[in-house]
Amino acid sequence: MMTKLQMRRRTLLAAAPIVLAAPHVARAQTKPEKSKVILAVGGKSALYYLSLTIAERKGFFKEAGLDVEINDFQGGAKSLQALMGGSADVVAGAYEHTIRMQQRGQPIVGFALIGRGMQLAIGLRTDVAAKVKGPADIKGMKFGVTAPGSQTHMLVNNWAAKGGLKPTDIVAIGVGAGASVVAAIEKGEVDGVSQADPALTILQEKGAIKIMVDTRTMKGNQELFGGSMPAACLYAQPDLLKKTPGTAQALASGIVRADQWLQTASPADVAATVPEAFLLGDRAIYEKAFANVRDTISPDGVMPSDGPANCLKFLAEGDPKIEPAKIKLADTWTNEFAQRAGKRS
């Protein structure tokens, strides 16, 4: 026979909702397990990674208990190589890499979103643009991307596919980000670029390029992808999240605070916070470029519900190696860290 107390306990347990422990953060710590973290990024000066720079410059990482060493590479594909090679603990890079690596049997997980819109655009040199009526006309052209294999490259491949072209029908040349992008166009080294701001806005203001594909506003993302398109984020190999959840939480907290700060910061405040070199010699254009892309910056570090599926569709359209049926999108992302950071901020 059960006592009244035992019966009451059984009734309460039966009525309580079943809560599954999140696999990555069940053992999350108040303080990070490792205070020194090596972070890789490809093209840090681009507005695409602005939240990372803000988290660094405003001291948000330090306040979370971290000493973050940021290594800047030519493009996202290079920073991914640093992670997989063991020289970096975490990457600020395109979410799409989590999908591409799962396809190769090498899992990585995203956990703090920087961009909810792609924030990239394709521009053709004005003399070249006059000859191009659609993507079918870009066959054989050279495009300046941050680095081959990066999201800037994938955007060109996707556009080319809409014209019936294969990835091999165009040439992708790594030109990095920032001033080197402007130089590549002005010197005629490439026919076009697939890049992030502020370089694109600078080239537009000079009349050097014509924009053909634009995802620098949420309106542009809605038109091209039908909704959000996750861009830059923090991602890492699963062990970082499982074995050092406190460290992952501190990283996410820094990015979420930066995302939130950027929602209301004035363009002048942003320009005053980033390194002078990021302005590419024109503060006014930098401020204009930021104001243009602000709505593509995640407000809370959380992945939008439609983001992963939109990204997978985008990748499959431009890369026949991607097999959507074999991808488990749930394994590419966790919102737990960003949501927890939001509650603490």
Side-chain angles (χ1 to χ4, degrees), residues 213-260:
V213 177
D214 201 345
T215 69
R216 292 174 294 173
T217 64
M218 287 309 295
K219 181 176 182 291
N221 282 269
Q222 180 68 43
E223 292 172 350
L224 282 169
F225 310 119
S228 62
M229 173 56 70
C233 69
L234 293 189
Y235 66 71
Q237 297 192 60
D239 273 358
L240 178 80
L241 281 60
K242 293 177 181 177
K243 295 181 179 180
T244 57
T247 301
Q249 186 61 63
L251 285 163
S253 295
I255 290 298
V256 170
R257 286 188 65 188
D259 285 345
Q260 293 171 337

Short mmCIF file of all heavy atoms in Angstrom, two decimals, residues 213-260:
data_model
loop_
_atom_site.label_atom_id
_atom_site.label_comp_id
_atom_site.label_asym_id
_atom_site.label_seq_id
_atom_site.Cartn_x
_atom_site.Cartn_y
_atom_site.Cartn_z
N VAL A 213 23.11 40.47 -58.01
CA VAL A 213 22.41 39.68 -56.99
C VAL A 213 22.70 40.34 -55.66
O VAL A 213 23.86 40.63 -55.35
CB VAL A 213 22.91 38.21 -56.97
CG1 VAL A 213 22.23 37.43 -55.86
CG2 VAL A 213 22.67 37.54 -58.32
N ASP A 214 21.66 40.59 -54.86
CA ASP A 214 21.88 41.34 -53.62
C ASP A 214 21.14 40.72 -52.44
O ASP A 214 19.92 40.58 -52.48
CB ASP A 214 21.41 42.78 -53.81
CG ASP A 214 22.02 43.74 -52.81
OD1 ASP A 214 22.58 43.28 -51.80
OD2 ASP A 214 21.96 44.97 -53.06
N THR A 215 21.89 40.33 -51.41
CA THR A 215 21.28 39.77 -50.20
C THR A 215 21.67 40.59 -48.97
O THR A 215 21.73 40.07 -47.86
CB THR A 215 21.71 38.30 -49.98
OG1 THR A 215 23.10 38.26 -49.63
CG2 THR A 215 21.49 37.48 -51.22
N ARG A 216 21.92 41.88 -49.17
CA ARG A 216 22.37 42.73 -48.06
C ARG A 216 21.22 43.31 -47.24
O ARG A 216 21.46 44.04 -46.29
CB ARG A 216 23.28 43.84 -48.59
CG ARG A 216 24.61 43.33 -49.13
CD ARG A 216 25.41 44.45 -49.78
NE ARG A 216 24.76 44.95 -50.98
CZ ARG A 216 25.16 46.01 -51.67
NH1 ARG A 216 26.21 46.70 -51.26
NH2 ARG A 216 24.51 46.39 -52.76
N THR A 217 20.01 43.00 -47.62
CA THR A 217 18.83 43.40 -46.83
C THR A 217 17.96 42.17 -46.65
O THR A 217 18.04 41.20 -47.42
CB THR A 217 18.00 44.48 -47.54
OG1 THR A 217 17.47 43.94 -48.76
CG2 THR A 217 18.85 45.71 -47.87
N MET A 218 17.10 42.19 -45.63
CA MET A 218 16.19 41.06 -45.44
C MET A 218 15.18 40.97 -46.58
O MET A 218 14.73 39.89 -46.95
CB MET A 218 15.47 41.16 -44.10
CG MET A 218 16.37 40.86 -42.89
SD MET A 218 17.30 39.29 -43.05
CE MET A 218 15.96 38.08 -43.05
N LYS A 219 14.86 42.11 -47.19
CA LYS A 219 13.98 42.10 -48.36
C LYS A 219 14.62 41.30 -49.49
O LYS A 219 13.97 40.49 -50.15
CB LYS A 219 13.70 43.54 -48.82
CG LYS A 219 12.78 43.65 -50.03
CD LYS A 219 12.50 45.11 -50.33
CE LYS A 219 11.54 45.25 -51.52
NZ LYS A 219 12.15 44.83 -52.80
N GLY A 220 15.93 41.51 -49.69
CA GLY A 220 16.64 40.77 -50.72
C GLY A 220 16.69 39.28 -50.43
O GLY A 220 16.56 38.44 -51.33
N ASN A 221 16.85 38.92 -49.16
CA ASN A 221 16.86 37.51 -48.77
C ASN A 221 15.49 36.88 -48.97
O ASN A 221 15.38 35.73 -49.40
CB ASN A 221 17.30 37.38 -47.31
CG ASN A 221 18.80 37.52 -47.13
OD1 ASN A 221 19.54 36.54 -47.17
ND2 ASN A 221 19.28 38.74 -46.96
N GLN A 222 14.45 37.63 -48.66
CA GLN A 222 13.08 37.13 -48.86
C GLN A 222 12.82 36.86 -50.33
O GLN A 222 12.25 35.83 -50.71
CB GLN A 222 12.07 38.15 -48.32
CG GLN A 222 10.61 37.75 -48.46
CD GLN A 222 10.23 36.58 -47.58
OE1 GLN A 222 10.62 36.53 -46.42
NE2 GLN A 222 9.48 35.63 -48.12
N GLU A 223 13.27 37.76 -51.19
CA GLU A 223 13.04 37.61 -52.62
C GLU A 223 13.82 36.44 -53.21
O GLU A 223 13.30 35.71 -54.07
CB GLU A 223 13.43 38.91 -53.35
CG GLU A 223 12.50 40.08 -53.03
CD GLU A 223 13.01 41.39 -53.60
OE1 GLU A 223 14.18 41.42 -54.08
OE2 GLU A 223 12.27 42.39 -53.55
N LEU A 224 15.05 36.24 -52.76
CA LEU A 224 15.90 35.18 -53.32
C LEU A 224 15.68 33.81 -52.68
O LEU A 224 15.70 32.79 -53.37
CB LEU A 224 17.38 35.56 -53.16
CG LEU A 224 17.92 36.58 -54.15
CD1 LEU A 224 19.29 37.05 -53.71
CD2 LEU A 224 17.99 35.99 -55.55
N PHE A 225 15.46 33.80 -51.36
CA PHE A 225 15.41 32.52 -50.64
C PHE A 225 14.06 32.22 -50.00
O PHE A 225 13.87 31.13 -49.46
CB PHE A 225 16.49 32.51 -49.55
CG PHE A 225 17.85 32.90 -50.03
CD1 PHE A 225 18.51 34.00 -49.51
CD2 PHE A 225 18.50 32.16 -51.02
CE1 PHE A 225 19.77 34.37 -49.95
CE2 PHE A 225 19.76 32.52 -51.48
CZ PHE A 225 20.39 33.62 -50.94
N GLY A 226 13.15 33.18 -50.05
CA GLY A 226 11.84 32.94 -49.45
C GLY A 226 11.81 33.15 -47.95
O GLY A 226 10.84 32.81 -47.29
N GLY A 227 12.87 33.73 -47.40
CA GLY A 227 12.93 33.95 -45.95
C GLY A 227 14.34 34.22 -45.50
O GLY A 227 15.15 34.75 -46.26
N SER A 228 14.64 33.82 -44.28
CA SER A 228 15.98 34.07 -43.75
C SER A 228 17.01 33.14 -44.41
O SER A 228 16.67 32.06 -44.90
CB SER A 228 16.01 33.85 -42.23
OG SER A 228 15.69 32.51 -41.91
N MET A 229 18.25 33.59 -44.43
CA MET A 229 19.35 32.78 -44.94
C MET A 229 20.52 32.94 -43.97
O MET A 229 21.23 33.94 -43.99
CB MET A 229 19.77 33.22 -46.33
CG MET A 229 21.02 32.52 -46.87
SD MET A 229 20.94 30.72 -46.91
CE MET A 229 19.76 30.50 -48.22
N PRO A 230 20.71 31.98 -43.05
CA PRO A 230 21.77 32.10 -42.05
C PRO A 230 23.13 32.30 -42.69
O PRO A 230 23.49 31.60 -43.62
CB PRO A 230 21.68 30.78 -41.28
CG PRO A 230 20.97 29.83 -42.19
CD PRO A 230 20.02 30.69 -42.97
N ALA A 231 23.83 33.27 -42.18
CA ALA A 231 25.15 33.61 -42.73
C ALA A 231 26.22 33.28 -41.70
O ALA A 231 26.40 32.13 -41.33
CB ALA A 231 25.17 35.08 -43.13
N ALA A 232 26.92 34.29 -41.22
CA ALA A 232 27.99 34.05 -40.26
C ALA A 232 27.44 33.58 -38.92
O ALA A 232 26.35 33.99 -38.49
CB ALA A 232 28.82 35.32 -40.06
N CYS A 233 28.20 32.72 -38.26
CA CYS A 233 27.82 32.21 -36.95
C CYS A 233 29.08 31.69 -36.28
O CYS A 233 30.15 31.63 -36.90
CB CYS A 233 26.80 31.08 -37.07
SG CYS A 233 27.46 29.54 -37.79
N LEU A 234 28.97 31.30 -35.03
CA LEU A 234 30.04 30.56 -34.38
C LEU A 234 29.74 29.08 -34.57
O LEU A 234 28.62 28.64 -34.34
CB LEU A 234 30.12 30.86 -32.89
CG LEU A 234 30.54 32.26 -32.45
CD1 LEU A 234 30.76 32.28 -30.94
CD2 LEU A 234 31.78 32.74 -33.18
N TYR A 235 30.74 28.33 -35.02
CA TYR A 235 30.58 26.88 -35.09
C TYR A 235 31.85 26.20 -34.62
O TYR A 235 32.94 26.79 -34.60
CB TYR A 235 30.17 26.41 -36.50
CG TYR A 235 31.17 26.61 -37.62
CD1 TYR A 235 32.34 25.84 -37.71
CD2 TYR A 235 30.92 27.52 -38.65
CE1 TYR A 235 33.24 26.00 -38.76
CE2 TYR A 235 31.81 27.69 -39.71
CZ TYR A 235 32.96 26.91 -39.77
OH TYR A 235 33.84 27.06 -40.81
N ALA A 236 31.71 24.96 -34.19
CA ALA A 236 32.84 24.21 -33.64
C ALA A 236 32.60 22.73 -33.80
O ALA A 236 31.50 22.30 -34.19
CB ALA A 236 33.02 24.55 -32.15
N GLN A 237 33.61 21.94 -33.52
CA GLN A 237 33.42 20.50 -33.50
C GLN A 237 32.61 20.15 -32.24
O GLN A 237 32.68 20.85 -31.22
CB GLN A 237 34.77 19.79 -33.51
CG GLN A 237 35.55 20.08 -34.79
CD GLN A 237 36.75 19.17 -34.97
OE1 GLN A 237 36.63 17.96 -35.05
NE2 GLN A 237 37.93 19.78 -35.05
N PRO A 238 31.81 19.10 -32.30
CA PRO A 238 30.91 18.77 -31.19
C PRO A 238 31.57 18.70 -29.82
O PRO A 238 30.95 19.04 -28.82
CB PRO A 238 30.35 17.40 -31.60
CG PRO A 238 30.38 17.43 -33.10
CD PRO A 238 31.65 18.16 -33.43
N ASP A 239 32.83 18.28 -29.75
CA ASP A 239 33.50 18.13 -28.45
C ASP A 239 33.59 19.44 -27.67
O ASP A 239 33.56 19.44 -26.44
CB ASP A 239 34.91 17.55 -28.63
CG ASP A 239 34.90 16.01 -28.66
OD1 ASP A 239 33.81 15.43 -28.51
OD2 ASP A 239 35.98 15.42 -28.84
N LEU A 240 33.72 20.57 -28.38
CA LEU A 240 33.79 21.84 -27.66
C LEU A 240 32.51 22.07 -26.87
O LEU A 240 32.54 22.52 -25.71
CB LEU A 240 34.00 23.01 -28.64
CG LEU A 240 34.03 24.39 -27.97
CD1 LEU A 240 35.40 24.65 -27.36
CD2 LEU A 240 33.66 25.50 -28.93
N LEU A 241 31.37 21.74 -27.49
CA LEU A 241 30.09 21.96 -26.84
C LEU A 241 29.81 20.93 -25.75
O LEU A 241 29.24 21.24 -24.71
CB LEU A 241 28.97 21.94 -27.89
CG LEU A 241 28.76 23.21 -28.73
CD1 LEU A 241 30.01 23.55 -29.54
CD2 LEU A 241 27.57 23.05 -29.66
N LYS A 242 30.26 19.70 -25.99
CA LYS A 242 29.99 18.63 -25.03
C LYS A 242 30.93 18.63 -23.84
O LYS A 242 30.51 18.45 -22.70
CB LYS A 242 30.08 17.28 -25.76
CG LYS A 242 29.00 17.04 -26.79
CD LYS A 242 29.22 15.71 -27.51
CE LYS A 242 28.16 15.47 -28.57
NZ LYS A 242 28.40 14.21 -29.32
N LYS A 243 32.22 18.83 -24.10
CA LYS A 243 33.22 18.72 -23.03
C LYS A 243 33.52 20.04 -22.32
O LYS A 243 33.96 20.04 -21.17
CB LYS A 243 34.52 18.14 -23.60
CG LYS A 243 34.37 16.71 -24.10
CD LYS A 243 35.68 16.16 -24.63
CE LYS A 243 35.53 14.71 -25.10
NZ LYS A 243 36.80 14.16 -25.64
N THR A 244 33.30 21.16 -23.03
CA THR A 244 33.53 22.47 -22.40
C THR A 244 32.33 23.39 -22.65
O THR A 244 32.46 24.44 -23.29
CB THR A 244 34.83 23.13 -22.93
OG1 THR A 244 34.75 23.25 -24.37
CG2 THR A 244 36.05 22.30 -22.58
N PRO A 245 31.17 23.00 -22.17
CA PRO A 245 29.96 23.79 -22.42
C PRO A 245 30.02 25.20 -21.82
O PRO A 245 29.40 26.12 -22.35
CB PRO A 245 28.84 22.96 -21.78
CG PRO A 245 29.54 22.13 -20.74
CD PRO A 245 30.88 21.81 -21.33
N GLY A 246 30.76 25.37 -20.72
CA GLY A 246 30.90 26.69 -20.15
C GLY A 246 31.65 27.63 -21.06
O GLY A 246 31.35 28.83 -21.15
N THR A 247 32.65 27.10 -21.76
CA THR A 247 33.42 27.89 -22.72
C THR A 247 32.54 28.27 -23.91
O THR A 247 32.55 29.42 -24.37
CB THR A 247 34.65 27.10 -23.21
OG1 THR A 247 35.46 26.77 -22.09
CG2 THR A 247 35.46 27.91 -24.20
N ALA A 248 31.77 27.29 -24.41
CA ALA A 248 30.86 27.56 -25.52
C ALA A 248 29.83 28.60 -25.11
O ALA A 248 29.47 29.49 -25.90
CB ALA A 248 30.18 26.27 -25.95
N GLN A 249 29.35 28.51 -23.87
CA GLN A 249 28.37 29.48 -23.39
C GLN A 249 28.95 30.89 -23.34
O GLN A 249 28.29 31.86 -23.71
CB GLN A 249 27.87 29.08 -22.00
CG GLN A 249 26.73 29.95 -21.48
CD GLN A 249 25.50 29.87 -22.37
OE1 GLN A 249 24.92 28.80 -22.51
NE2 GLN A 249 25.13 30.97 -22.98
N ALA A 250 30.18 31.00 -22.88
CA ALA A 250 30.82 32.31 -22.81
C ALA A 250 31.00 32.92 -24.21
O ALA A 250 30.80 34.13 -24.41
CB ALA A 250 32.18 32.19 -22.11
N LEU A 251 31.37 32.09 -25.17
CA LEU A 251 31.51 32.56 -26.56
C LEU A 251 30.17 33.04 -27.10
O LEU A 251 30.07 34.11 -27.71
CB LEU A 251 32.04 31.43 -27.44
CG LEU A 251 33.53 31.10 -27.29
CD1 LEU A 251 33.83 29.72 -27.88
CD2 LEU A 251 34.39 32.16 -27.97
N ALA A 252 29.13 32.24 -26.88
CA ALA A 252 27.80 32.61 -27.35
C ALA A 252 27.33 33.90 -26.68
O ALA A 252 26.73 34.77 -27.32
CB ALA A 252 26.82 31.48 -27.08
N SER A 253 27.62 34.04 -25.39
CA SER A 253 27.20 35.24 -24.66
C SER A 253 27.84 36.50 -25.25
O SER A 253 27.18 37.54 -25.37
CB SER A 253 27.58 35.11 -23.18
OG SER A 253 26.84 34.05 -22.57
N GLY A 254 29.11 36.40 -25.63
CA GLY A 254 29.79 37.54 -26.24
C GLY A 254 29.15 37.95 -27.56
O GLY A 254 28.94 39.14 -27.82
N ILE A 255 28.83 36.97 -28.39
CA ILE A 255 28.23 37.26 -29.70
C ILE A 255 26.80 37.78 -29.54
O ILE A 255 26.40 38.74 -30.22
CB ILE A 255 28.23 35.99 -30.58
CG1 ILE A 255 29.66 35.64 -31.00
CG2 ILE A 255 27.34 36.18 -31.82
CD1 ILE A 255 30.35 36.71 -31.84
N VAL A 256 26.03 37.19 -28.65
CA VAL A 256 24.64 37.64 -28.46
C VAL A 256 24.61 39.08 -27.95
O VAL A 256 23.80 39.90 -28.42
CB VAL A 256 23.89 36.71 -27.50
CG1 VAL A 256 22.53 37.30 -27.10
CG2 VAL A 256 23.66 35.34 -28.15
N ARG A 257 25.49 39.43 -27.03
CA ARG A 257 25.55 40.81 -26.55
C ARG A 257 25.91 41.77 -27.69
O ARG A 257 25.37 42.88 -27.78
CB ARG A 257 26.57 40.94 -25.42
CG ARG A 257 26.10 40.36 -24.09
CD ARG A 257 27.06 40.70 -22.98
NE ARG A 257 27.11 42.14 -22.71
CZ ARG A 257 27.99 42.72 -21.89
NH1 ARG A 257 28.90 41.97 -21.27
NH2 ARG A 257 27.97 44.03 -21.70
N ALA A 258 26.81 41.33 -28.57
CA ALA A 258 27.19 42.17 -29.72
C ALA A 258 26.02 42.31 -30.69
O ALA A 258 25.74 43.41 -31.19
CB ALA A 258 28.39 41.56 -30.43
N ASP A 259 25.33 41.20 -30.95
CA ASP A 259 24.14 41.25 -31.82
C ASP A 259 23.13 42.27 -31.28
O ASP A 259 22.57 43.08 -32.03
CB ASP A 259 23.46 39.88 -31.88
CG ASP A 259 24.21 38.86 -32.73
OD1 ASP A 259 25.09 39.26 -33.52
OD2 ASP A 259 23.89 37.65 -32.61
N GLN A 260 22.90 42.20 -29.98
CA GLN A 260 21.92 43.08 -29.34
C GLN A 260 22.38 44.54 -29.40
O GLN A 260 21.58 45.44 -29.68
CB GLN A 260 21.70 42.65 -27.89
CG GLN A 260 21.02 41.29 -27.76
CD GLN A 260 21.00 40.78 -26.33
OE1 GLN A 260 21.81 41.18 -25.50
NE2 GLN A 260 20.06 39.89 -26.02
#
